[in-house]
């Protein structure tokens, strides 16, 4: 074995050992009646894991639940009444624990469970990238999470408690005639910035204020003719009770917003072969937002360049009708 592969093997072994040690500490420090759910993914999947907290606690017989996630999402998970504790974990430690679970093909150990889709595990080293793919298929998001968390169907989602702060009354007045745009997403192909610019101009012609969600993430897109809106995830959820309408690519923020009263238009870009912007119910599993418990007030469309003007017309009509 040459020197480079020796270093790679040592790095893999160190990562595995770190994950094993973290798991051991969690099992030692958390009482058996406390269920621990480890959520290393982005916003949307983390929210879905939280939405099954009540069922997970009830079906597995835990008295308390601890959710471990990225620091940016702990406050959001605390909005679920069934989650008793949250704990942030650093990226390096999360990656090691996920690596340990995946490499063993075992996603629960004692009272600690990986609350994540088993996509693949990637380990990069200078000049080398190793990827282990785990192929799973699910008929719906509900079915996926029931399998991941070992729950018996039918299940019922937990609902978040939206904080009623002093700011909320102020925001309701400030944003009552405003539209929130969210053109960035990790899971969808980008829609041309020109589309968002034209949509913004049309909305402003209707007398609406237009804000764009922009928090400095890699996928964020800035629209020059719109006002920037930087906020935490919990503030975004509160905005869901304040803004007149939301238009955005299908991204993780759509999941918590679907549990608010906000009227939403959600765009997809994963079917370029289609020739219609319409999406049928259940088509390609894209209506998982409806599975979160609210169907009214959420419209879904496919973005197609040849029908961009039609889509803008449709969005404006929906907003005008309220």
């Amino acid at each position: 074995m040459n020197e480079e592969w020796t270093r790679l093997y040592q790095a893999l072994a160190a990562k595995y050992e770190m994950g094993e040690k973290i798991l051991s500490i969690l099992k030692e420090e958390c009482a058996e009646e406390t269920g621990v759910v480890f959520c290393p993914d982005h916003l949307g999947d983390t929210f879905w894991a939280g939405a099954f907290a009540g069922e997970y606690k009830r079906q597995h017989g835990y008295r308390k639940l601890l959710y471990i996630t990225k620091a940016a999402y702990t406050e959001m998970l605390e909005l679920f009444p069934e989650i008793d504790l949250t704990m942030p974990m650093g990226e390096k430690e999360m990656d090691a624990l996920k690596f340990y679970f995946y490499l063993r093909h075992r996603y629960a150990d004692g009272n600690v469970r990986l609350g994540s889709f088993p996509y693949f595990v990637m380990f990069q080293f200078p000049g080398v990238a190793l990827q282990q793919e785990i192929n799973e298929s699910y008929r719906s998001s509900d079915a996926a999470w029931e399998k991941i968390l070992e729950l018996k169907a039918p299940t019922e989602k937990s609902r978040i408690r939206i904080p009623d702060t002093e700011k909320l009354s102020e925001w309701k007045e400030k944003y009552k005639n405003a539209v929130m745009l969210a053109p960035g997403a990790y899971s969808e192909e980008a829609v041309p910035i020109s589309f968002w610019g034209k949509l913004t101009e049309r909305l402003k012609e209707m007398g609406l204020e237009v804000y764009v969600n922009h928090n400095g993430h890699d996928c964020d897109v800035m629209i020059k003719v719109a006002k920037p809106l930087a906020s935490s995830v919990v503030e975004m959820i509160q905005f869901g009770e304040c803004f007149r309408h939301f238009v955005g690519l299908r991204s993780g923020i759509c999941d918590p917003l679907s549990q608010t009263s906000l009227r939403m238009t959600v765009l997809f870009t994963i079917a370029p072969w289609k020739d219609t912007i319409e999406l049928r119910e259940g088509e390609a599993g894209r209506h998982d937002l409806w599975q979160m418990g609210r169907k009214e007030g959420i419209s879904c469309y496919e973005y197609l360049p040849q029908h961009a003007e039609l889509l803008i017309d449709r969005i404006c009509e929906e907003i005008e009708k309220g």
Side-chain angles (χ1 to χ4, degrees):
M1 184 179 292
N2 62 35
E3 186 176 337
E4 184 176 285
W5 280 103
T6 299
R7 290 201 310 271
L8 175 59
Y9 175 80
Q10 291 172 343
L12 287 168
K15 189 172 187 177
Y16 184 89
E17 288 171 7
M18 178 187 287
E20 185 177 35
K21 185 176 181 180
I22 292 170
L23 178 62
S24 177
I25 292 171
L26 288 173
K27 291 169 67 177
E28 288 174 10
E29 297 297 325
C30 296
E32 288 185 4
E33 66 266 21
T34 299
V36 180
V37 182
F38 169 55
C39 307
D41 296 324
H42 288 306
L43 173 58
D45 286 346
T46 300
F47 188 82
W48 272 84
F52 284 91
E55 287 285 354
Y56 189 72
K57 179 184 279 188
R58 181 179 64 82
Q59 292 196 29
H60 288 276
Y62 291 117
R63 288 184 56 217
K64 292 185 176 181
L65 285 183
L66 165 64
Y67 271 59
I68 299 172
T69 185
K70 298 176 181 179
Y73 305 149
T74 55
E75 192 180 4
M76 174 192 72
L77 287 176
E78 288 166 5
L79 300 182
F80 288 105
E82 296 86 355
I83 295 177
D84 303 282
L85 303 163
T86 62
M87 185 179 83
M89 184 177 282
E91 198 72 36
K92 182 178 179 181
E93 290 76 16
M94 291 189 98
D95 196 38
L97 184 53
K98 182 169 70 171
F99 182 77
Y100 179 75
F101 271 118
Y102 279 13
L103 220 60
R104 297 169 72 215
H105 287 270
R106 184 179 175 184
Y107 308 122
D109 195 317
N111 58 334
V112 182
R113 178 176 297 275
L114 176 64
S116 168
F117 279 94
Y119 293 122
F120 58 84
V121 59
M122 170 73 81
F123 186 84
Q124 290 181 305
F125 191 75
V128 180
L130 298 180
Q131 176 174 308
Q132 177 189 9
E133 293 191 12
I134 303 166
N135 296 315
E136 293 278 1
S137 59
Y138 309 97
R139 67 178 184 276
S140 69
S141 293
D142 280 350
W145 283 101
E146 286 162 0
K147 183 174 181 179
I148 290 166
L149 298 175
E150 289 190 63
L151 301 174
K152 293 181 180 178
T155 52
E156 186 176 340
K157 313 271 191 330
S158 300
R159 298 194 66 82
I160 53 176
R161 296 169 297 191
I162 300 173
D164 188 9
T165 62
E166 292 181 5
K167 286 183 177 180
L168 199 58
S169 296
E170 176 188 331
W171 288 342
K172 284 182 178 179
E173 181 62 28
K174 180 177 180 180
Y175 299 121
K176 65 182 181 182
N177 200 38
V179 176
M180 182 198 307
L181 304 182
Y186 287 109
S187 56
E188 296 285 328
E189 292 291 329
V191 168
I193 192 70
S194 58
F195 171 85
W196 297 106
K198 289 178 181 178
L199 175 61
T200 300
E201 294 292 3
R202 282 282 300 276
L203 296 174
K204 290 167 74 173
E205 288 172 7
M206 293 167 59
L208 300 168
E209 288 190 282
V210 184
Y211 292 82
V212 58
N213 180 39
H214 196 283
N215 291 289
H217 298 145
D218 294 341
C219 65
D220 282 348
V221 176
M222 188 59 215
I223 304 166
K224 293 181 180 179
V225 288
K227 299 177 182 179
L229 184 71
S231 58
S232 68
V233 177
V234 171
E235 285 175 333
M236 284 290 288
I237 292 170
Q238 290 176 300
F239 287 152
E241 300 296 318
C242 305
F243 273 74
R244 180 170 170 178
H245 205 94
F246 167 93
V247 184
L249 271 181
R250 177 63 174 98
S251 67
I253 195 58
C254 295
D255 295 295
L257 287 179
S258 72
Q259 284 204 2
T260 72
S261 61
L262 182 61
R263 299 188 70 83
M264 302 171 64
T265 301
V266 182
L267 308 183
F268 295 83
T269 59
I270 55 176
W273 60 86
K274 288 171 61 69
D275 194 39
T276 174
I277 63 173
E278 309 295 342
L279 288 177
R280 297 187 303 275
E281 183 172 350
E283 183 179 5
R286 298 171 193 174
H287 291 66
D288 53 354
L289 290 173
W290 292 353
Q291 293 177 29
M292 194 57 75
R294 175 167 73 99
K295 185 172 179 179
E296 291 185 3
I298 300 178
S299 301
C300 298
Y301 295 102
E302 183 76 27
Y303 169 80
L304 298 168
Q306 66 270 32
H307 297 312
E309 293 295 335
L310 172 62
L311 181 55
I312 290 174
D313 289 341
R314 186 70 58 83
I315 292 169
C316 292
E317 288 170 10
E318 288 189 354
I319 295 174
E320 200 164 32
K321 290 177 182 177

